[in-house]
Amino acid sequence: MGSAELQGALWSAGARDWSQFIEPTQVPFYEAAFDAIGVGPGVRLLDAGCGSGLALVMAKDRGALPTGLDAAVGLLEVARERLPDADLRQGDLEEMPFDDDLFDAVTAFNSVQFAADATQALREMRRVAAPGAPITVTTWGPPELCEMAPVLGSLGALLPLPPAGVGGPFALSAPGAVESLMTSAGLSPEDVIDVATPFVFPSLDLAVRVMLSTGPGKRAVDVVGEPAALDALAGAFSPHVRDDGTLSLDNVFRVRVARA
Ligand SMILES: C[S@@+](CC[C@H](N)C(=O)[O-])C[C@H]1O[C@@H](n2cnc3c(N)ncnc32)[C@H](O)[C@@H]1O
């Protein structure tokens, strides 16, 4: 296993909060990617790093045939409740348990940057895709366009050193970083689509709590304890609290489209 064991444990702990509160904010980039590559009736789609499976539910609603892979058993449990008939496997992005040339389209939403060897993850996406099939890799855009960047940074600041094999949320957000890895992995980059993806929370308390459901949140709790992690998050979120107590943070996610 590459980074799946470590990442699977980090992302499993808060699976229900992730699927209820954070995953729905990502619908804009799921739609943008599926529109860009024509996910529709009969398309055999693999979502690599599918988490709790909302993107696959949306693909199924378009008539596609959904398959998912993720490291986190906790998130897969939610995905299996939503898609009892789909092939949803626990495994590693860097060593996928699928035959060559199997899928008509492959997506990775906000997952590849957490792999220890992202180029290997992209090679695997290419291997399991049919020749010429479309592939999308979506990550956070440049941090200066993401109001969530300082929030995630407040967790990062609590941690002494990134342990080996832990990629961070913004690890592949520099302009051209994903495209260059795609080329190294034998993919042909085509388009880049920026998608406005605001993160909206009903209250400061909830915003702070649900961030502990993320991999970086869980890691911060493991290292410095929950009270320190909650304090850091409250400080980072508080400038965004509006008069009615809700929060909305603007972000850009970047969808890169390539061909296998
Ligand atoms: C930010 S979450 C995104 C989940 C989902 N794509 C979504 O849009 O909600 C990152 C996901 O990548 C998965 N992940 C990270 N590293 C992985 C690896 N090496 N192999 C498989 N999955 C991995 C985590 O388990 C987690 O589900």
Short mmCIF file of all heavy atoms in Angstrom, two decimals, residues 201-207 237-238 240-248:
data_model
loop_
_atom_site.label_atom_id
_atom_site.label_comp_id
_atom_site.label_asym_id
_atom_site.label_seq_id
_atom_site.Cartn_x
_atom_site.Cartn_y
_atom_site.Cartn_z
N PHE A 201 -21.54 27.35 6.04
CA PHE A 201 -21.79 26.66 7.32
C PHE A 201 -22.87 27.43 8.08
O PHE A 201 -22.88 28.66 8.08
CB PHE A 201 -20.52 26.63 8.17
CG PHE A 201 -19.35 25.95 7.51
CD1 PHE A 201 -18.37 26.72 6.88
CD2 PHE A 201 -19.23 24.57 7.50
CE1 PHE A 201 -17.27 26.10 6.27
CE2 PHE A 201 -18.13 23.95 6.89
CZ PHE A 201 -17.16 24.72 6.28
N PRO A 202 -23.77 26.70 8.76
CA PRO A 202 -24.86 27.38 9.48
C PRO A 202 -24.40 28.12 10.74
O PRO A 202 -25.09 29.02 11.21
CB PRO A 202 -25.83 26.25 9.83
CG PRO A 202 -25.06 24.99 9.69
CD PRO A 202 -23.93 25.24 8.75
N SER A 203 -23.26 27.73 11.31
CA SER A 203 -22.79 28.40 12.54
C SER A 203 -21.29 28.17 12.70
O SER A 203 -20.73 27.23 12.11
CB SER A 203 -23.51 27.84 13.77
OG SER A 203 -23.07 26.51 13.99
N LEU A 204 -20.69 29.02 13.54
CA LEU A 204 -19.26 28.86 13.82
C LEU A 204 -18.98 27.51 14.50
O LEU A 204 -18.04 26.80 14.14
CB LEU A 204 -18.78 30.01 14.72
CG LEU A 204 -17.30 29.97 15.14
CD1 LEU A 204 -16.37 30.01 13.93
CD2 LEU A 204 -16.99 31.13 16.09
N ASP A 205 -19.84 27.14 15.46
CA ASP A 205 -19.63 25.86 16.17
C ASP A 205 -19.61 24.69 15.20
O ASP A 205 -18.76 23.80 15.30
CB ASP A 205 -20.76 25.62 17.18
CG ASP A 205 -20.52 26.39 18.46
OD1 ASP A 205 -19.46 27.02 18.57
OD2 ASP A 205 -21.43 26.37 19.32
N LEU A 206 -20.55 24.72 14.26
CA LEU A 206 -20.63 23.59 13.32
C LEU A 206 -19.44 23.62 12.35
O LEU A 206 -18.85 22.57 12.04
CB LEU A 206 -21.94 23.62 12.56
CG LEU A 206 -22.22 22.28 11.92
CD1 LEU A 206 -22.71 21.27 12.95
CD2 LEU A 206 -23.23 22.40 10.81
N ALA A 207 -19.06 24.81 11.90
CA ALA A 207 -17.92 24.90 10.98
C ALA A 207 -16.69 24.28 11.62
O ALA A 207 -15.96 23.49 11.00
CB ALA A 207 -17.65 26.37 10.63
N PHE A 237 -11.84 30.81 11.51
CA PHE A 237 -13.19 30.99 10.93
C PHE A 237 -13.84 32.30 11.38
O PHE A 237 -14.72 32.82 10.69
CB PHE A 237 -14.12 29.84 11.37
CG PHE A 237 -14.12 28.64 10.46
CD1 PHE A 237 -13.85 27.37 10.96
CD2 PHE A 237 -14.44 28.77 9.10
CE1 PHE A 237 -13.89 26.24 10.12
CE2 PHE A 237 -14.48 27.66 8.26
CZ PHE A 237 -14.20 26.40 8.78
N SER A 238 -13.48 32.81 12.56
CA SER A 238 -14.29 33.89 13.15
C SER A 238 -14.43 35.13 12.26
O SER A 238 -15.51 35.74 12.26
CB SER A 238 -13.83 34.23 14.57
OG SER A 238 -12.49 34.55 14.54
N HIS A 240 -15.17 35.29 9.36
CA HIS A 240 -16.16 35.02 8.31
C HIS A 240 -17.59 34.90 8.85
O HIS A 240 -18.52 34.65 8.08
CB HIS A 240 -15.80 33.71 7.57
CG HIS A 240 -14.47 33.81 6.87
ND1 HIS A 240 -14.31 34.45 5.67
CD2 HIS A 240 -13.24 33.39 7.24
CE1 HIS A 240 -13.04 34.40 5.30
NE2 HIS A 240 -12.37 33.75 6.25
N VAL A 241 -17.74 35.06 10.19
CA VAL A 241 -19.10 34.92 10.75
C VAL A 241 -19.91 36.17 10.38
O VAL A 241 -19.48 37.29 10.60
CB VAL A 241 -19.05 34.77 12.29
CG1 VAL A 241 -20.47 34.63 12.84
CG2 VAL A 241 -18.20 33.56 12.67
N ARG A 242 -21.09 35.94 9.77
CA ARG A 242 -21.93 37.06 9.34
C ARG A 242 -22.93 37.42 10.46
O ARG A 242 -23.02 36.72 11.46
CB ARG A 242 -22.66 36.67 8.05
CG ARG A 242 -21.65 36.34 6.92
CD ARG A 242 -22.32 36.01 5.60
NE ARG A 242 -22.99 34.72 5.59
CZ ARG A 242 -23.35 34.07 4.48
NH1 ARG A 242 -23.10 34.59 3.29
NH2 ARG A 242 -23.98 32.91 4.54
N ASP A 243 -23.65 38.52 10.24
CA ASP A 243 -24.57 39.01 11.29
C ASP A 243 -25.58 37.96 11.73
O ASP A 243 -25.96 37.90 12.89
CB ASP A 243 -25.33 40.26 10.80
CG ASP A 243 -24.40 41.45 10.70
OD1 ASP A 243 -23.27 41.36 11.24
OD2 ASP A 243 -24.78 42.46 10.07
N ASP A 244 -26.00 37.10 10.79
CA ASP A 244 -27.00 36.08 11.16
C ASP A 244 -26.35 34.82 11.73
O ASP A 244 -27.03 33.81 11.95
CB ASP A 244 -27.88 35.73 9.94
CG ASP A 244 -27.08 35.06 8.83
OD1 ASP A 244 -25.84 34.92 8.95
OD2 ASP A 244 -27.69 34.65 7.82
N GLY A 245 -25.03 34.85 11.94
CA GLY A 245 -24.34 33.71 12.56
C GLY A 245 -23.85 32.67 11.57
O GLY A 245 -23.10 31.75 11.94
N THR A 246 -24.25 32.78 10.28
CA THR A 246 -23.79 31.81 9.28
C THR A 246 -22.42 32.23 8.72
O THR A 246 -21.98 33.38 8.92
CB THR A 246 -24.79 31.70 8.11
OG1 THR A 246 -24.84 32.96 7.44
CG2 THR A 246 -26.18 31.33 8.62
N LEU A 247 -21.78 31.31 8.01
CA LEU A 247 -20.49 31.60 7.39
C LEU A 247 -20.54 31.17 5.93
O LEU A 247 -21.18 30.16 5.60
CB LEU A 247 -19.35 30.82 8.06
CG LEU A 247 -19.04 31.06 9.54
CD1 LEU A 247 -19.98 30.26 10.42
CD2 LEU A 247 -17.60 30.68 9.84
N SER A 248 -19.83 31.92 5.08
CA SER A 248 -19.67 31.49 3.69
C SER A 248 -18.27 31.89 3.25
O SER A 248 -17.89 33.06 3.35
CB SER A 248 -20.73 32.15 2.81
OG SER A 248 -20.53 31.76 1.47
#
